[in-house]
Amino acid sequence: MGVLYVAFVLVCGYVYTSLHLPARYRQKRASGWDSYFEVAKYGFYAVIGGIIFTGIFDAIDLPSIVLSWINQDTKTLSGKISQYSSGAITSFEICTAISALALAALFGVREKTEYKDPRRRLKKLAKVCKNDEMETILLQAALEISLFSVTLENRKCYIGLIYDSHVEENPIESIALIPFYSGHRDSETLELQINRSYKKHYIEEGLYGNNPDYRKLLFFRVVIPINQVVSCSLFSQEVYRSLANNKTDNPQKAAP
C-alpha cells in the first residue's frame, strides 16, 4: 500500500504542475530525483489539504447529509468500500483522495485561468527564470515588445520582435522573431551593418502601425536554432544611429 500512497501523491502533484506555469517550469528544469521531489512537493500539499477538508467534513457530518439525498448512509457505504477493497482502504482515505485531487485540480485551473492574459503569463515566467540569462532576455523582449537582435555563426544578423517564448515546457531550442531589419557583422570589426528593412513593407501592407496585426506578421517570422546563435541582445535604433554617426571614419547611416 505504501507504493500506492506514493503514486497517489505524485499524481496529485502532476495534476497541479501541469496546470501551474511556474511549477511546471521548475519541474521541467529539474533532473533525476529533483524532478520527482518537485512534483511530490505539490502532491504532498494537496494530500495535507485533503486530510484537513475530510476532517472538517467528518466533524460536521457532511457525508451523511450528502448520502441522505440518494437514500444511502455512511455505514452502508463504508461496508461496501471495505468489501471491495478487502479492508485495505477506508472511507476516510477515499474521501481524502477525492478531496486532494479536487484541490490540486481546482488550484491548478485557477492559476491557469490567470495566465490566459499573455502579459501576466510572461511577467510570472520572468520571475521564475532569472537564473537563465537567455530565457530572461527573451521574456523581457517579448514582454516589453522591444526589438531583439540575434547574430548567427555566419555573421548574419536579424533584428525584430519576439512574439512569444514558451520557456515553461522545455529549454529553449530555437528563437522565433518577426524580422524588422537584417544585416551582417563586418568580418574584421564585427560591427553591425544593417542593409535591409522589412518595416516599410509591413507599414505599406497595414500590418504594423498604431494597431499592428501580429497574427499576420507571424507569417514573416524567422525561426533560428539556438545552437547557431553567437550572441543576442535588446536593440535600440536610437543607440545604433548615435554610434553610427560617431564613428571616426566613413560613418554609415542606420536604415530607416
Side-chain angles (χ1 to χ4, degrees):
M1 290 298 294
V3 175
L4 181 61
Y5 293 150
V6 172
F8 178 74
V9 169
L10 291 176
V11 168
C12 290
Y14 178 77
V15 169
Y16 181 76
T17 56
S18 64
L19 297 170
H20 186 263
L21 292 185
R24 187 164 185 80
Y25 173 88
R26 286 188 287 266
Q27 189 267 329
K28 286 287 186 178
R29 295 306 186 276
S31 60
W33 285 104
D34 290 338
S35 179
Y36 287 104
F37 283 121
E38 187 66 29
V39 173
K41 176 179 68 175
Y42 295 106
F44 178 75
Y45 294 155
V47 171
I48 293 298
I51 293 174
I52 294 173
F53 271 90
T54 302
I56 294 173
F57 295 156
D58 187 49
I60 62 177
D61 202 21
L62 183 62
S64 297
I65 298 173
V66 174
L67 289 173
S68 66
W69 297 345
I70 55 175
N71 297 321
Q72 294 289 334
D73 57 73
T74 55
K75 185 177 181 180
T76 302
L77 182 62
S78 296
K80 291 181 179 180
I81 292 174
S82 180
Q83 179 183 354
Y84 292 139
S85 65
S86 300
I89 301 176
T90 65
S91 56
F92 185 88
E93 290 173 334
I94 292 291
C95 291
T96 298
I98 295 174
S99 298
L101 279 173
L103 287 173
L106 178 64
F107 281 95
V109 169
R110 184 182 67 83
E111 294 289 344
K112 186 176 182 179
T113 302
E114 291 186 1
Y115 302 141
K116 286 185 177 181
D117 181 353
R119 292 187 61 81
R120 182 176 296 178
R121 170 182 163 273
L122 291 171
K123 285 181 179 179
K124 194 69 175 182
L125 286 173
K127 292 180 179 180
V128 297
C129 68
K130 293 181 178 180
N131 293 331
D132 191 305
E133 292 295 338
M134 176 67 78
E135 293 176 350
T136 299
I137 197 170
L138 277 173
L139 289 172
Q140 181 183 353
L143 181 60
E144 298 177 356
I145 316 180
S146 301
L147 288 177
F148 190 76
S149 173
V150 178
T151 301
L152 309 183
E153 289 180 340
N154 60 4
R155 293 185 286 107
K156 177 75 174 180
C157 296
Y158 287 100
I159 300 168
L161 296 177
I162 302 293
Y163 180 71
D164 202 349
S165 183
H166 295 278
V167 300
E168 68 273 16
E169 293 297 333
N170 294 296
I172 297 174
E173 296 182 354
S174 61
I175 297 175
L177 58 76
I178 303 168
F180 273 48
Y181 307 101
S182 65
H184 66 280
R185 296 276 180 182
D186 186 89
S187 59
E188 296 182 359
T189 65
L190 296 181
E191 290 188 10
L192 174 61
Q193 306 293 326
I194 296 178
N195 43 38
R196 176 165 296 178
S197 173
Y198 303 85
K199 185 177 179 180
K200 183 178 180 181
H201 173 75
Y202 299 154
I203 295 175
E204 290 176 349
E205 294 296 322
L207 304 179
Y208 189 75
N210 294 330
N211 296 303
D213 191 339
Y214 289 114
R215 291 187 178 180
K216 291 184 178 179
L217 280 175
L218 282 176
F219 176 81
F220 298 93
R221 69 185 182 277
V222 176
V223 180
I224 304 168
I226 198 67
N227 57 9
Q228 295 184 15
V229 175
V230 175
S231 66
C232 57
S233 64
L234 298 178
F235 181 80
S236 170
Q237 298 179 73
E238 292 74 16
V239 172
Y240 177 78
R241 292 192 181 99
S242 176
L243 294 176
N245 291 332
N246 289 331
K247 289 198 295 186
T248 56
D249 55 341
N250 298 324
Q252 178 182 341
K253 299 291 186 180

